[in-house]
Amino acid sequence: MITAGIDVGSLSTDAVLLRDGEVLAYSIVNTGAQARAAAERAFEEVLEKAGISLSEVDTVVATGYGRMSVPFADGQVTEISCHGRGSAFLNPEVRTVIDIGGQDSKVIRLDGQGNVIDFLMNDKCAAGTGRFLEVMADRLELSVAGLGNEDLKAERAAEISSMCTVFAESEVISLIARGVPRPEIVRGLHRSIAERTAGMANRLGVMPRVMMTGGVAKNPGVVRALSEKLGAEIVVPPEPQIVGALGAALIARKKRSGKA
Amino acid sequence: MLGWVCTYTPEEIFATLGLESYRLYGDDRGEYAKADLEYLPVNFCPLGRACLNEGMGKGNPSLTGIVLAASCHALVHLAGAFKYAGERRGKEFFVHLLDLPRTSGDGDAAVRAFASSLRSLAGRLSSFYGVAWNDGAFYGALQAHQSVRRLLRELYRLRMGQPENFRAAGLLEVVRAAGRAKKDEFLPVLDGIVKALKGDVNGESRVDGSPAAALLAGLRRGGSPQGPRLLVVGSPLPFAYLDLIEELGGNIAGDDLCQGYRYCLPEVEEGPDPFLSLARGYLGRVPCPRMLAGKERFSYLLSLARKAGARGVIYHALKFCDASLYEYPLFREYFAEAGIPVLYLETEYRDAGLEQARTRIQAYLELL
């Protein structure tokens, strides 16, 4: 049986194809301005990578903020349930999932079967999310992917006290003007994200093991800062950006066969 | 026309004095001009701001006064804003801030203090509007108000039986209409609604052409009984959010909203002193979040949740509402111990942010 999960996020749209519990292929494309077109692009790409045709896919489940815009999906499930299911599949010991995506962040508590037992989400503003890092990387003339390496060069972290993207950008401009080395500014930004996220995680209660998912988990600077802040080891899967889509594909499989 | 906002305001006093009253719900869309930002900061209770717009916007010149209760800091400041806005209108504008104890009806001192506040409200209204208090008129008004509240509670009972057939926003519309109507005129309308709904249950549905028909149409819904039953508590929330909860499969079986069930609760017993009777009846009702009766309130809400068969509770807080923010962590802990997960929802008393809420609510229903 082949199932697919499509996660239409604010910045990227990810698709995963699953055959009998094994990942066949995945794709990641930019969402852009049209969620539906992005979903179609991601799906076509993943089918091509796996070398299979549309007719071979049994069930498709859509997730992410654009989940209602995927006309070929057989069901819609929130990214909270999908990240939970995907994380538990990758590591059954995971009890806390921290997902920092393009425009929001979530902390999810799981039981031993990958079911969500509680969650908290910050969906009010994009501070401390992928969008925050994009704005800051742009200001520092770095690519988002380059932020992690820049952090590694730092000897200390600059103080960034504001959580708000707009105010934090002002602080960064001020630090640049004062001649603070760029790596220190980057580490300061990562710490500010970690503080914000750890606050939310501790509000819910962190139980090991902790897994981090979402695009921001690709940034080792944020992962390290968050791990220090939480005082807990953080597991990062090989491709953290596709965990939501993977969870959706797993739910599609369960939907089809009645088994997870 | 006299406006009022807080559920601790006994409308019976207005009716006894022959004054038309109108509850403000913060309907500030449409023809109402934005007035709030001239008087209140942006980080002020959004319901308060909306009530100021509704009461003092250009589209509502008929309001000649307002009675607010000192139930939270926002309403205290709102009284100040109404006072300034009223003065700017050029005509004398009645503003009264009703002193309200922070304890519920257990203590006799609180009841006597509140009775005295009510007496002074009646006195100020009498002299401002040139009207006289009459005990006979009071007992007549009391009867009509009690009957309306009884019928509203009956509606809530019917809804609790089959929440999948009721639209929560529609039920709140009926409660809202009650808060704005002359009770003796509204009684037959409400009676028609209750009878028609009982007819639905017995398979003998009928809708006549009365004002009840529109309210009835908004009340009915055909949801699935499989959806989880929920209790909605906290600050008043925009109707679009209630509709969204139902669209996603939730069945709202009960509420503890000041524009909802709490309005229907006061039971006032007739006694020799009308003000003491009112004070006892209004304070004796299940307390609102700003009262010093946390555990008593929580145990009542838990029993309401159990009675409604609720598997979950949605706690709504208006942005910048201190009372909700203080209460919520304790509330969540209390319900978690009872095995009922609570979803926190925050709005600015507008339909904005519905899509973010869609994920939050859908994930919560998946969890249930």
Side-chain angles (χ1 to χ4, degrees), chain A residues 5 14 18 34 43-44 73 87 107 127 146 166 172 197-198 205 220 225 229:
Chain A
D14 323 309
L18 207 64
Q34 290 182 321
F43 196 39
E44 279 164 20
S87 303
V107 181
V166 178
V172 167
T197 310
K229 208 79 216 160

Side-chain angles (χ1 to χ4, degrees), chain A residues 67, chain B residues 243-250 357-359 361-362 365:
Chain A
R67 63 188 176 281
Chain B
D243 287 337
L244 180 64
I245 293 166
E246 289 169 346
E247 180 201 322
L248 293 170
R358 180 184 292 277
T359 297
I361 295 165
Q362 193 181 344
L365 296 177

Side-chain angles (χ1 to χ4, degrees), chain A:
Chain A
M1 184 201 321
I2 299 177
T3 59
I6 315 257
D7 180 359
V8 186
S10 61
L11 290 182
S12 77
T13 294
D14 323 309
V16 167
L17 275 180
L18 207 64
R19 176 189 275 151
D20 302 327
E22 267 189 54
V23 175
L24 271 182
Y26 68 85
S27 65
I28 300 172
V29 306
N30 284 331
T31 301
Q34 290 182 321
R36 181 182 172 154
E40 282 165 352
R41 249 189 0 261
F43 196 39
E44 279 164 20
E45 201 177 303
V46 80
L47 287 173
E48 199 181 308
K49 276 188 181 173
I52 63 165
S53 67
L54 178 65
S55 59
E56 290 175 76
V57 180
D58 294 292
T59 311
V60 181
V61 163
T63 185
Y65 97 101
R67 63 188 176 281
M68 309 311 285
S69 317
V70 184
F72 49 88
D74 301 296
Q76 290 83 22
V77 178
T78 63
E79 55 270 39
I80 292 167
S81 298
C82 289
H83 276 269
R85 193 50 61 93
S87 303
F89 175 79
L90 293 168
N91 186 333
E93 289 174 16
V94 169
R95 296 291 179 275
T96 307
V97 182
I98 296 173
D99 164 40
I100 308 185
Q103 71 174 9
D104 63 19
S105 47
K106 308 170 188 84
V107 181
I108 306 160
R109 281 280 302 279
L110 300 178
D111 65 9
Q113 279 76 49
N115 298 310
V116 177
I117 50 174
D118 208 352
F119 67 92
L120 273 180
M121 65 190 292
N122 164 32
D123 53 14
K124 293 292 173 201
C125 87
T129 67
R131 183 68 197 136
F132 174 85
L133 285 177
E134 269 191 359
V135 171
M136 297 307 155
D138 190 44
R139 172 58 63 190
L140 293 164
E141 294 184 276
L142 284 165
S143 68
V144 177
L147 286 170
N149 282 337
E150 194 72 4
D151 178 307
L152 296 177
K153 297 180 203 159
E155 289 175 11
R156 63 183 77 80
E159 188 71 36
I160 310 265
S161 56
S162 186
M163 296 287 186
C164 164
T165 307
V166 178
F167 291 153
E169 191 179 9
S170 303
E171 281 191 57
V172 167
I173 292 168
S174 163
L175 290 168
I176 293 170
R178 273 170 39 206
V180 175
R182 192 165 69 176
E184 291 181 15
I185 300 175
V186 171
R187 186 170 287 184
L189 287 167
H190 291 163
R191 277 211 184 155
S192 96
I193 290 185
E195 274 164 17
R196 191 186 178 93
T197 310
M200 188 162 72
N202 287 329
R203 230 173 25 245
L204 191 68
V206 176
M207 188 180 269
R209 246 164 223 282
V210 182
M211 180 175 272
M212 193 169 164
T213 63
V216 174
K218 289 180 173 179
N219 180 327
V222 174
V223 177
R224 191 179 60 186
L226 186 56
S227 175
E228 281 170 11
K229 208 79 216 160
L230 292 175
E233 191 197 336
I234 295 178
V235 183
V236 180
E239 183 41 273
Q241 215 169 341
I242 63 160
V243 177
L246 171 64
L250 287 163
I251 290 169
R253 182 165 165 250
K254 187 180 180 186
K255 211 175 152 72
R256 185 81 184 172
S257 67
K259 59 180 179 189

Side-chain angles (χ1 to χ4, degrees), chain B residues 5-294:
Chain B
V5 174
C6 172
T7 349
Y8 281 97
T9 314
E11 295 167 274
E12 288 90 335
I13 292 177
F14 310 142
T16 304
L17 293 168
L19 298 170
E20 268 190 66
S21 67
Y22 184 88
R23 187 173 186 188
L24 298 175
Y25 297 107
D27 284 337
D28 66 343
R29 277 161 290 188
E31 74 268 35
Y32 302 117
K34 291 271 173 262
D36 61 322
L37 289 175
E38 293 175 37
Y39 302 96
L40 298 164
V42 286
N43 60 349
F44 186 83
C45 166
L47 173 62
R49 288 213 316 264
C51 284
L52 184 68
N53 284 335
E54 185 185 8
M56 301 310 267
K58 286 182 186 141
N60 196 355
S62 58
L63 206 71
T64 59
I66 181 103
V67 175
L68 293 156
S71 39
C72 65
H73 284 304
L75 287 195
V76 173
H77 287 298
L78 189 61
F82 266 107
K83 192 165 176 290
Y84 279 118
E87 281 169 7
R88 274 185 162 187
R89 275 187 171 184
K91 279 187 284 184
E92 223 185 332
F93 190 81
F94 181 86
V95 178
H96 187 89
L97 188 62
L98 188 63
D99 202 8
L100 180 63
R102 293 204 88 85
T103 56
S104 54
D106 293 346
D108 199 42
V111 170
R112 276 187 284 121
F114 192 43
S116 149
S117 292
L118 297 178
R119 199 171 287 115
S120 85
L121 165 66
R124 276 202 66 213
L125 284 169
S126 298
S127 61
F128 186 89
Y129 287 101
V131 289
W133 179 271
N134 173 305
D135 277 359
F138 168 74
Y139 292 113
L142 179 60
Q143 225 164 33
H145 283 72
Q146 291 277 76
S147 303
V148 164
R149 290 194 286 256
R150 249 194 308 275
L151 281 175
L152 289 173
R153 291 198 295 269
E154 180 65 21
L155 267 184
Y156 269 85
R157 262 191 295 277
L158 290 170
R159 198 264 299 263
M160 197 179 273
Q162 295 182 327
E164 66 277 10
N165 292 333
F166 282 78
R167 188 173 152 258
L171 183 50
L172 291 185
E173 284 283 13
V174 177
V175 181
R176 280 188 170 196
R180 286 178 165 171
K182 288 184 178 164
K183 302 299 176 280
D184 47 356
E185 288 173 12
F186 193 63
L187 255 178
V189 176
L190 198 51
D191 193 48
I193 294 173
V194 171
K195 283 193 175 128
L197 288 169
K198 283 184 171 166
D200 281 358
V201 175
N202 301 325
E204 44 190 70
S205 180
R206 65 186 176 86
V207 181
D208 52 24
S210 70
L215 288 168
L216 256 176
L219 252 172
R220 288 188 170 120
R221 178 175 84 90
S224 159
Q226 260 77 52
R229 286 175 168 231
L230 304 167
L231 193 66
V232 177
V233 308
S235 319
L237 75 168
F239 287 177
Y241 281 80
L242 293 168
D243 287 337
L244 180 64
I245 293 166
E246 289 169 346
E247 180 201 322
L248 293 170
N251 290 321
I252 298 167
D255 78 53
D256 178 63
L257 300 169
C258 82
Q259 295 178 358
Y261 194 48
R262 273 214 304 279
Y263 172 80
C264 321
L265 285 175
E267 287 190 76
V268 181
E269 282 177 25
E270 285 188 19
D273 181 340
F275 298 106
L276 263 180
S277 299
L278 285 173
R280 198 165 282 124
Y282 274 74
L283 282 184
R285 163 189 44 188
V286 176
C288 93
R290 60 78 75 179
M291 290 297 200
L292 293 172

